[in-house]
Amino acid sequence: MKMKKKLVFIGGARPNFMKIAPIIRQTAKLKKFKNIIIHTGQHYDDNMSKVFFEDLAIPKPGYFLKTGSGTHASQTAKIMLSLEKIFKQELPDLVIVVGDVNSTMAAAITAKKLGIKTAHVEAGLRSFDMTMPEEINRIVTDSISDMFFVTERSAVKNLLKEGKRRDSIYFTGNVMIDSLFYALKKLKTRRAHFGTTDLKNKLRKYIYLTLHRPSNVDNKEALLNICGILGKAGKIYPIIFPVHPRTKNRLEKFKIKLSPDIHVIPPLSYTESLFIWKDAEAVITDSGGLQEETTALRKPCFTLRNNTERPVTVTCGTNILLNAANRHKLPAMLTGIKTGSYKHGRIPPKWDGNSSKQIVKILRSTI
Ligand code: UD1
């Protein structure tokens, strides 16, 4: 009997879970592979972690590490120490890391030092902004990985420029969109009642807001400025704001009071979040994932950042970047939406919900 090939999937923080889920669903169908899921515990609150596993039907992790929060060095080190033991014991044929969080980089370094082949899903994205911890994670992970699955052409270009071999780069599309279509279908087939259903029905026309980047929330002046602009935006459409623990903490620490037009709620599950934003008039965000998801559903998106590592959402999609100097234009742009004047965008190539199938097809023939 042939031995199964062991695939290790690393999930650590909220944005990882929707990326591993569709790939795991595909590999689970094949006798060739044995899936080993490791949750690093970088995110640990139920609403940042557990609900995503349930929501996206990810099997219970084989390993749950109790990493928790901390400085970047301590978080990364803790993850590496735990993973080293597991990798030595399990001897995986491939470690699959996704995205750009500390868990991604920690797993890639640990695997490669043990001589284990590593694949990076969502490789090659670059903001060219080294003040972003995620940019460092992306560069380190890509500099040592063996296989690169990319979401957009800019990433192919970046990897080639950095000296990667063309035959190690696979333009397979965006697994986030696989998860998006999966959840949309589920929402359509069952009449869901969520904790936020009443708020959604009451407001009818509203904006969906997420905010958690250190550059926006860790500095009091920056956060005060953003909250002032959001107060004005809230006069045009009320805002629904599921607040990330980092942001909640900073709002409390800086004693910032939000306008009453901003409805603050706890973080939402993946499906409930989609349930709200898919019917919003627009999304205001600094998240990476929402820039892509709004482009896929052609929903207006305003990104409060100076740059994006996902340029296709701007060149092709509905995304508009608003840097610190341009943020004041946000209320006027929201008024534009009332009259139908906004960027309608197009769907980027290969964002069709079949990305995980493409990835697994490649894994079948190479691993
Ligand atoms: C991390 C990722 C970021 C991603 C984001 C999504 C890195 C460098 N950053 O940022 O790329 O967009 O996740 O959420 O990996 N906390 C809780 N409960 C939790 C998790 C965090 O209360 O379950 C609080 C803690 O106070 C913690 C803070 O949030 O110190 C920040 O968490 P951390 O994992 O360090 O970074 P994120 O800002 O979540």
Side-chain angles (χ1 to χ4, degrees):
M1 205 181 74
K2 263 194 176 170
M3 287 278 276
K4 289 192 179 223
K5 299 286 182 184
K6 278 190 188 176
L7 304 179
V8 163
F9 292 87
I10 305 292
R14 188 169 64 171
N16 289 160
F17 307 133
M18 51 291 235
K19 293 170 195 164
I20 59 171
I23 312 175
I24 290 171
R25 221 172 291 128
Q26 295 301 327
T27 51
K29 291 182 196 162
L30 302 173
K31 286 205 182 79
K32 173 169 183 165
F33 296 121
K34 177 179 186 317
N35 291 337
I36 299 168
I37 302 167
I38 304 180
H39 188 322
T40 67
Q42 178 176 344
H43 283 172
Y44 44 88
D45 285 355
D46 280 355
N47 58 13
M48 299 292 286
S49 159
K50 188 166 167 251
V51 292
F52 284 79
F53 273 72
E54 292 165 359
D55 214 14
L56 296 160
I58 308 173
K60 225 172 126 98
Y63 297 90
F64 188 94
L65 317 179
K66 292 201 168 73
T67 304
S69 303
T71 64
H72 285 261
S74 74
Q75 198 174 54
T76 308
K78 272 193 202 164
I79 298 170
M80 289 176 70
L81 284 170
S82 310
L83 287 181
E84 189 177 49
K85 284 193 198 118
I86 302 171
F87 289 172
K88 275 183 169 169
Q89 200 183 312
E90 292 282 0
L91 302 174
D93 294 286
L94 181 73
V95 170
I96 299 173
V97 299
V98 298
D100 54 17
V101 303
N102 288 343
S103 302
T104 311
M105 178 186 72
I109 296 175
T110 311
K112 285 306 296 174
K113 291 248 174 159
L114 291 171
I116 302 166
K117 198 166 176 174
T118 304
H120 185 201
V121 174
E122 203 187 86
L125 296 178
R126 297 289 180 267
S127 65
F128 304 102
D129 175 359
M130 289 296 268
T131 65
M132 272 184 94
E134 294 82 0
E135 182 73 354
I136 300 168
N137 293 342
R138 289 188 278 261
I139 291 173
V140 173
T141 303
D142 284 339
S143 71
I144 55 178
S145 291
D146 303 284
M147 300 174 80
F148 306 92
F149 294 104
V150 311
T151 52
E152 59 171 278
R153 289 207 176 93
S154 73
V156 178
K157 237 171 79 187
N158 293 334
L159 290 168
L160 288 175
K161 240 194 209 157
E162 289 170 19
K164 297 297 163 204
R165 277 176 29 198
R166 195 172 275 277
D167 63 2
S168 63
I169 305 169
Y170 306 92
F171 180 22
T172 40
N174 195 332
V175 286
M176 286 279 282
I177 309 307
D178 296 13
S179 277
L180 175 65
F181 290 173
Y182 173 82
L184 264 184
K185 206 165 139 195
K186 267 204 334 200
L187 270 179
K188 277 190 191 138
T189 52
R190 68 181 173 119
R191 262 187 75 83
H193 189 93
F194 295 107
T196 49
T197 301
D198 292 344
L199 179 64
K200 181 179 176 182
N201 291 340
K202 189 179 102 189
L203 299 179
R204 269 191 344 104
K205 291 192 173 217
Y206 56 85
I207 283 168
Y208 188 72
L209 165 71
T210 77
L211 198 68
H212 73 280
R213 290 267 154 238
S215 57
N216 282 335
V217 306
D218 283 3
N219 173 287
K220 187 176 177 185
E221 297 314 310
L223 188 56
L224 260 175
N225 174 267
I226 289 176
C227 292
I229 292 164
L230 291 173
K232 288 183 189 151
K235 294 269 171 266
I236 297 154
Y237 288 113
I239 297 176
I240 299 182
F241 181 26
V243 68
H244 186 285
R246 172 191 285 276
T247 312
K248 181 170 181 273
N249 173 297
R250 299 302 185 271
L251 286 168
E252 285 165 4
K253 183 173 153 201
F254 302 144
K255 298 192 172 55
I256 297 177
K257 275 231 152 1
L258 292 170
S259 132
D261 296 312
I262 303 177
H263 299 263
V264 178
I265 55 174
L268 301 176
S269 73
Y270 182 74
T271 311
E272 187 169 3
S273 167
L274 173 62
F275 167 74
I276 299 289
W277 75 256
K278 78 180 174 61
D279 297 316
E281 300 305 300
V283 170
I284 303 171
T285 192
D286 59 7
S287 127
L290 263 168
Q291 295 175 56
E292 298 186 330
E293 292 166 327
T294 45
T295 275
L297 296 194
R298 305 181 76 187
K299 178 78 48 194
C301 179
F302 302 96
T303 299
L304 304 182
R305 281 179 48 188
N306 297 333
N307 48 53
T308 179
E309 61 287 338
R310 294 160 160 89
V312 77
T313 60
V314 175
T315 54
C316 182
T318 51
N319 192 16
I320 294 179
L321 276 188
L322 290 173
N323 62 20
N326 281 322
R327 265 179 219 146
H328 65 278
K329 295 181 185 161
L330 184 61
M333 289 181 165
L334 295 175
T335 309
I337 289 177
K338 286 203 162 166
T339 58
S341 120
Y342 60 89
K343 197 173 160 205
H344 291 265
R346 286 173 292 116
I347 312 286
K350 302 199 187 195
W351 290 21
D352 56 6
N354 291 315
S355 174
S356 48
K357 280 193 191 129
Q358 297 305 317
I359 290 176
V360 174
K361 209 166 139 190
I362 291 159
L363 295 183
R364 275 177 87 166
S365 58
T366 48
I367 302 300

